Every structure is written in structure tokens, then in C-alpha cells.
Amino acid sequence: MQGGKAHRLGRRTALLAAMLVTSSLAQGQQSAPHPSIVSANLCADQLVLALADRQQIVSLSPFARDANISFLAHEAAGVPRNTGAAEELIRLSADLIVLGRYDNRLTRDFLTTKERPFAMVDSWVSLDETRQEIAGLAARFGHAERGAALIATIDASTGALEALASKVPQRSFLILHRRGYVLHAGLAGDLAVKAGLRNAAGDVGLRANGFVDLERVAAARPDYLMVAESADRPEDQGEALLEHPALRRLYPPARRLVVPDLLTICPGPAIPALAARLAQEITAKVR
């Protein structure tokens, strides 16, 4: 009897020890200093690549390696990609999933139901919001110092851009994209305003982003157009308005500030390169 009791007591002790180890491991995963990460959003990709260790990254969005829109496409080489489907994100079993604020809400609801930790990145709101987002994510990834370093680099680059405001004449610009789509506000526009230029979106009758026709642009006559490309020939109908002879006559290359989409889509690591490009274009062309 005593031997059987001792045996049962030993088994209970072993079971309790195993439970304690399991609990400890679970707590360690929940508060891991360097959590494993899945990104399901293009802008989240940029921040994950810039702020996390490569070994922390389980998977990136399907757009991570697209050099036309992903600023850190080269750094994403070799990292697995996901489709963004909620079920797949769950199967990847990362400690943290990073989404875009305007991604599929059903995905967020599904992750909440499954009690899976996730973070959200926002589209451009302001420089202050971007600083807060970088600092928050860097801390959550376990690399607060990288967030502070990136913020310092961004501040230095935007500070240099602001210094142009006293050196260039006050001119207006209109951000004009394919099919006549105008950005009323956004990352590139806000930085150009810091450099002393005026956004002419209101001059063409817009209070938000929207489409305008050639006549409205010609009537408003902003001093410069901000465009994503400098090609002389349109590749498709979407680019046709930008290359219309009348627009070409009013806005030759010297009156077009060329800023690639690659630099303007996501706030974050691309901002210093965007600020440098804007400074270069403004210094060379604004008279």
C-alpha cells in the first residue's frame, strides 16, 4: 500500500511539474521579448523588416517582394509570403500578426475570436502619428532602440526638407495620378507643404481625394504637377490624361515634380528617401 501510495504521489508530482513547465512556456510565448511575427499588409511589411530581426519574421504579405510598390523589396527576398487569408494566418502560429487598419475586418474579427494577438498599422495621418506607430511597434517587437533610430532619421530628413521653405519661392502643386486622380492630402503632399509649397487640390474643387478632368486642371493652373513617373508616352489609357498634349504644353518636365509611388505608399522607412527625393526635385525645378 505504501509503495502504491508513493507511486501515485510521484506521478502527481511529475504531472504538477509538467503543468508548471507548460504554463511557464505559455507565459513566455505571450510575453516573449522577441516575438515571432507575421505581416499581412504591405505597409506592415516595411515596418516589420525595418524593426524586427529576420529570424523573428515568419511570413510577409504577398506584396512584400514587389519592387514597384515595396520600398524594402530587396530585404524581403527569401522570406516566405502569405495570402492574407485569416485561416492561413492562424495556421502560421506566430506570436503576433500585423495587419493594416483598413484590411478585411472579418480577418480582425476572426483573430479576436481565436484570441490571437495582432497589431494594426495605419495609412498616413501625420508625422506625429507615424512616430507613435513606429515607437509602439518597435517596443512590441523587442527592439525599442531601432524605433528610436528610425524616428531620428525621419526627423533629420524632414527637418532638412523644412529648411527649404525659406529658400524656395512659394509655389503651388497638384498631385495628379492615373486617370486624373488627385490626392487632396497624403504623405508626399504633406511633406511638400513642409518644404514651403502649397497644395492646390482645393483649387480644382476637391475637399478630399477624387478625379478631375483636364479642363479643371488647366483652369486652376497650379505651378507644378507632382507625378509618379516621367515617361513621355502613356503605356495605357490610365496614363493618357497625364500625357495629353495640352497638359504636356502647360507642364513640361521642368514643371513636373517626379516622386515614384514606391516612396509615397507607406509611411515609415521610406520617408527619409521620399524627403530626399522631394528636396532634390524642388531644388532643381521650383523657381
Side-chain angles (χ1 to χ4, degrees), residues 109-130:
D109 292 343
F110 184 72
L111 294 176
T112 300
T113 299
K114 296 296 183 181
E115 299 183 343
R116 297 299 301 276
F118 66 89
M120 290 187 294
V121 300
D122 216 335
S123 53
W124 174 256
V125 177
S126 68
L127 200 55
D128 283 342
E129 292 286 339
T130 295

Side-chain angles (χ1 to χ4, degrees), residues 9-77:
L9 182 58
R11 289 185 61 186
R12 285 182 197 163
T13 302
L15 179 59
L16 178 59
M19 291 173 63
L20 289 172
V21 170
T22 301
S23 175
S24 176
L25 287 174
Q27 291 176 4
Q29 288 176 350
Q30 291 171 1
S31 59
H34 297 96
S36 56
I37 304 165
V38 163
S39 168
N41 174 274
L42 173 65
C43 294
D45 293 338
Q46 314 301 300
L47 291 165
V48 170
L49 286 164
L51 301 173
D53 289 332
R54 192 176 180 93
Q55 58 265 32
Q56 289 179 259
I57 306 173
V58 175
S59 178
L60 297 171
S61 86
F63 309 107
R65 299 184 208 165
D66 187 338
N68 292 313
I69 58 174
S70 175
F71 179 67
L72 297 180
H74 180 74
E75 286 81 351

Side-chain angles (χ1 to χ4, degrees), residues 178-179 234-241:
R178 296 167 52 87
R179 298 171 55 213
E235 294 184 0
D236 53 39
Q237 289 299 314
E239 293 182 356
L241 182 141

Side-chain angles (χ1 to χ4, degrees), residues 67-200:
N68 292 313
I69 58 174
S70 175
F71 179 67
L72 297 180
H74 180 74
E75 286 81 351
V79 180
R81 289 173 292 175
N82 61 73
T83 63
E87 295 81 0
E88 181 185 6
L89 300 181
I90 290 290
R91 286 197 303 270
L92 290 170
S93 299
D95 298 321
L96 180 65
I97 299 168
V98 190
L99 309 168
R101 184 169 299 279
Y102 299 105
D103 289 345
N104 192 336
R105 183 171 181 175
L106 293 176
T107 300
R108 300 202 304 271
D109 292 343
F110 184 72
L111 294 176
T112 300
T113 299
K114 296 296 183 181
E115 299 183 343
R116 297 299 301 276
F118 66 89
M120 290 187 294
V121 300
D122 216 335
S123 53
W124 174 256
V125 177
S126 68
L127 200 55
D128 283 342
E129 292 286 339
T130 295
R131 289 191 192 99
Q132 293 172 20
E133 185 170 83
I134 291 170
L137 283 176
R140 199 160 180 182
F141 296 166
H143 301 288
E145 75 289 348
R146 293 182 192 172
L150 177 55
I151 291 169
T153 302
I154 288 172
D155 287 348
S157 66
T158 55
L161 192 62
E162 287 184 84
L164 288 178
S166 62
K167 301 176 182 178
V168 299
Q170 295 184 343
R171 299 286 186 256
S172 62
F173 69 95
L174 186 71
I175 302 176
L176 191 61
H177 286 288
R178 296 167 52 87
R179 298 171 55 213
Y181 189 72
V182 170
L183 286 177
H184 185 275
L187 175 55
D190 286 359
L191 293 192
V193 169
K194 285 183 178 296
L197 303 185
R198 182 179 68 83
N199 193 333

